[in-house]
Amino acid sequence: MVTQFPWLTTIVLIPLLAALLIPFIPDKDGKTMRWYALGVGITNLALMCYTFWNNYNASDSGFQLVEKYLWLPQIGLSWAVSVDGLSMPLVLLAGLVTTLSIFAAWQVDYKPRLFYFLMLVLYSAQVGVFVAQDLMLLFIMWELELVPVYLLISMWGGQKRRYAATKFLLYTAAASIFILVAALGMAFYGEGNITFDMVELGLKDYPLAFELLVYLGLLITFGVKLAVFPLHTWLPDAHGEASAPVSMILAGVLLKMGGYGLIRLNLEMLSDAHIYFAPVLAILGVVNIVYGGLNSFGQSNMKRRLAYSSVAHMGFVLLGIASFTDLGVSGALLQMISHGLIAAVLFFLAGVTYDRLHTLVLDEMGGFGRVMPKVFALFTVSAMASLALPGMSGFASELMVFVGFTTSDVYSSIFRTLTVFLAAIGLILTPIYLLSMLRQMFYSTGQAPACLLKDTPYENEVLDEAVCFGTNCVLPAKSVYTDAKPREVAIAFCFLVLIIGIGLYPKMATGMYDAKTVAVNSQVRQSYTFAKANPQLFAKGFLFPRIPESEVLSVSGVFK
């Protein structure tokens, strides 16, 4: 039982309870609903900031604000929530992105009650995933999150929305069964009381073969969510058909649930098995970076290009997790936070552009930078952040991952050289596909206009001043394609301030979790003592990690 006010329980339940009140609120045109949902989002985000500012200790690597209530004691299920360095930054990220996504959905007029109901339920579920200390509770929240996303895509998406929503549901729901299997297997293993508490599960001494099987199952689950090759194919379809607010949450929060799960369960709780899977994660990370970059460059649909860009950027998360260094693991978490902000603002601006042009095809754009200079400026700054321009958060996170993996002393120099070289190719591809996208969108393509001013009210105007893009030619002074509105500028500004702030002062983010990532990486390195004691199970090629003998001796007997 808790001995203080249940802050985390309140944060999880406020959006859910607020959503249940929506059917009883009078509203004819949807305007009341959007203000109500936005008010709930801002209130919950403010409560998060207040709670963590006053009750969270960044120097403590353990669980904090622990709240535990017996739910079904017969099977060991409890409502157990807490935060530490891994979860607290992601809770704030979820609150910020979801609140701004609600603000971005200001023009939703089709079934607004249902839309904002689903957005608030999704808000509650994703925060619940990050704060769950009970593994079965994490599974329940993980499953609860799927339903709102499926409905939000299938009802407010594009022409192929049902196909994209169904594919998303099949991939993620089928893969999430491994969380249930892992929870049951770990809870029922050994003697004593059945429990799903992550702290108690982490203290159990599992056989290596059991850990390897559980690790593999969870890697599939979180690999689907993180869009790891070849489990990523649902992501471009979902992003291509989802509305902008839903894409913001997909890229800004839901992908990060996969990375969080890998660090929380695979890295921290199954550290023995991680010794053997780490090289696989590094290889998959490189594949994601190169494959995502190449596919992004080949996309003519703007949102699909950004979706494959997300696939590439998640490769750096895998590299950091596999690095066996404090800097690499810290960089992986910073990459999750950074990409959550950058991807969210890019998909938001993609929605702003679509609202004006009614097309996502890059070949149908070109030259409208003169008509919408604010959109042009915001899009350009966001793209620069995505391609890791120095001074932006993307540069800080990717540099940390690169340096962390390069300086890792557990991989052979050949493996590190190949990995870093191939990952660097992805870094070269990123500015190519992002800058070419900006050129196609905002600058003249050099092709003949898709339309003429003849037989229009503007045919006697000076043609040199005409702006041609898509299927329309207009004069800047008479353009119906309005620039970004104050609401839209404010949303983008909220993201960009944090992106630039973290880029200039990364400790703004890393200071919240460094103590935790150092503790997790220390435990992983100690787990090598178990592998050392079982040489018949530990392959020793250039591919596999080898911790120095001096460190092995220093941590001998400290395992778990």
Side-chain angles (χ1 to χ4, degrees):
M1 298 294 293
V2 296
T3 58
Q4 58 181 3
F5 184 81
W7 295 108
L8 296 181
T9 299
T10 304
I11 289 171
V12 173
L13 294 182
I14 280 180
L16 181 61
L17 296 177
L20 297 177
L21 295 177
I22 284 181
F24 306 101
I25 299 176
D27 183 28
K28 294 182 179 180
D29 53 7
K31 293 183 179 181
T32 303
M33 283 299 99
R34 66 190 188 189
W35 280 109
Y36 173 75
L38 179 62
V40 172
I42 293 175
T43 300
N44 213 39
L45 179 59
L47 182 60
M48 291 177 189
C49 296
Y50 174 82
T51 300
F52 297 144
W53 181 265
N54 290 280
N55 301 283
Y56 177 79
N57 181 10
S59 62
D60 185 355
S61 62
F63 286 108
Q64 304 178 50
L65 296 169
V66 178
E67 302 165 18
K68 191 172 183 179
Y69 307 93
L70 292 178
W71 192 354
L72 292 175
Q74 295 82 357
I75 62 172
L77 180 61
S78 61
W79 174 273
V81 293
S82 61
V83 293
D84 62 0
L86 299 181
S87 55
M88 191 275 280
L90 297 178
V91 171
L92 290 175
L93 178 68
L96 176 68
V97 172
T98 308
T99 299
L100 293 178
S101 298
I102 293 173
F103 200 21
W106 215 240
Q107 296 177 335
V108 170
D109 55 4
Y110 175 67
K111 296 186 177 180
R113 285 181 185 272
L114 179 58
F115 180 87
Y116 291 113
F117 172 85
L118 295 173
M119 291 287 280
L120 291 177
V121 172
L122 178 58
Y123 193 166
S124 183
Q126 59 195 11
V127 172
V129 168
F130 294 130
V131 302
Q133 185 179 318
D134 186 285
L135 190 51
M136 190 60 72
L137 177 62
L138 184 147
F139 171 73
I140 293 172
M141 292 295 180
W142 192 281
E143 293 294 289
L144 178 61
E145 160 265 326
L146 301 180
V147 179
V149 177
Y150 170 78
L151 293 175
L152 287 167
I153 296 176
S154 62
M155 295 183 65
W156 287 271
Q159 293 182 347
K160 298 181 180 179
R161 57 187 181 274
R162 291 185 178 86
Y163 167 79
T166 303
K167 191 173 183 179
F168 161 81
L169 186 64
L170 290 176
Y171 268 67
T172 51
S176 63
I177 194 68
F178 290 109
I179 300 180
L180 177 61
V181 173
L184 293 174
M186 296 170 73
F188 283 92
Y189 178 81
E191 300 178 357
N193 296 330
I194 300 172
T195 179
F196 295 100
D197 187 274
M198 292 183 187
V199 175
E200 297 183 30
L201 294 178
L203 295 175
K204 289 187 176 182
D205 189 11
Y206 305 104
L208 180 59
F210 177 81
E211 276 203 26
L212 291 172
L213 288 175
V214 174
Y215 191 107
L216 178 60
L218 293 175
L219 178 59
I220 294 174
T221 298
F222 302 135
V224 169
K225 205 71 165 185
L226 194 64
V228 176
F229 178 89
L231 307 173
H232 68 287
T233 58
W234 64 270
L235 184 65
D237 292 317
H239 273 309
E241 300 302 323
S243 61
V246 179
S247 287
M248 291 169 65
I249 297 177
L250 272 174
V253 182
L254 300 190
L255 285 182
K256 311 310 171 286
M257 290 168 55
Y260 169 77
L262 280 177
I263 300 177
R264 169 69 72 201
L265 301 181
N266 294 54
L267 192 62
E268 184 179 18
M269 295 178 61
L270 303 172
S271 53
D272 295 339
H274 180 71
I275 296 292
Y276 304 90
F277 276 97
V280 178
L281 293 184
I283 294 172
L284 290 174
V286 171
V287 172
N288 258 48
I289 293 170
V290 178
Y291 171 85
L294 290 173
N295 273 274
S296 183
F297 185 68
Q299 301 300 314
S300 60
N301 182 293
M302 175 171 52
K303 292 184 70 175
R304 290 181 69 90
R305 177 168 292 199
L306 295 176
Y308 275 108
S309 174
S310 295
V311 173
H313 282 91
M314 289 302 97
F316 290 99
V317 176
L318 293 175
L319 275 183
I321 293 174
S323 68
F324 287 88
T325 63
D326 296 343
L327 187 62
V329 178
S330 179
L333 192 53
L334 183 61
Q335 174 72 349
M336 292 163 57
I337 298 170
S338 170
H339 181 265
L341 298 170
I342 295 171
V345 71
L346 282 173
F347 279 106
F348 166 69
L349 293 172
V352 171
T353 304
Y354 179 78
D355 289 342
R356 273 91 172 152
L357 307 185
H358 304 292
T359 182
L360 292 171
V361 180
L362 295 173
D363 293 336
E364 296 178 0
M365 302 181 188
F368 69 86
R370 295 172 60 189
V371 183
M372 293 182 279
K374 293 179 183 177
V375 175
F376 165 64
L378 294 172
F379 224 127
T380 301
V381 174
S382 302
M384 294 299 168
S386 185
L387 60 81
L389 185 74
M392 305 285 196
S393 61
F395 174 79
S397 59
E398 293 180 13
L399 180 63
M400 289 174 67
V401 171
F402 261 102
V403 175
F405 195 88
T406 303
T407 58
S408 178
D409 57 356
V410 301
Y411 292 106
S412 69
S413 58
I414 297 176
F415 183 68
R416 279 181 289 147
T417 301
L418 288 174
T419 301
V420 172
F421 174 77
L422 293 174
I425 294 177
L427 285 182
I428 297 172
L429 292 172
T430 305
I432 293 175
Y433 64 71
L434 286 175
L435 295 179
S436 66
M437 181 183 71
L438 294 178
R439 177 184 58 80
Q440 288 180 277
M441 292 173 62
F442 297 107
Y443 295 93
S444 174
T445 60
Q447 300 175 354
C451 60
L452 298 173
L453 291 179
K454 187 177 180 181
D455 299 325
T456 72
Y458 311 124
E459 62 178 329
N460 294 322
E461 302 284 352
V462 180
L463 298 183
D464 291 340
E465 296 182 3
V467 177
C468 301
F469 56 91
T471 57
N472 297 278
C473 280
V474 296
L475 297 177
K478 301 179 180 179
S479 172
V480 295
Y481 298 94
T482 57
D483 204 354
K485 300 177 181 178
R487 173 183 62 87
E488 296 165 333
V489 173
I491 294 173
F493 183 78
C494 290
F495 286 116
L496 293 176
V497 165
L498 290 174
I499 291 169
I500 297 173
I502 294 174
L504 296 176
Y505 188 62
K507 195 174 181 180
M508 177 192 303
T510 61
M512 295 187 290
Y513 62 76
D514 268 343
K516 180 63 178 183
T517 53
V518 169
V520 170
N521 187 59
S522 176
Q523 179 177 321
V524 172
R525 293 179 71 93
Q526 290 174 10
S527 292
Y528 181 79
T529 57
F530 183 84
K532 188 72 174 178
N534 294 270
Q536 69 277 11
L537 297 177
F538 188 66
K540 293 184 177 179
F542 80 96
L543 187 65
F544 292 87
R546 292 175 290 180
I547 292 179
E549 188 69 23
S550 59
E551 184 170 340
V552 173
L553 295 176
S554 69
V555 299
S556 180
V558 191
F559 170 67
K560 288 192 174 179

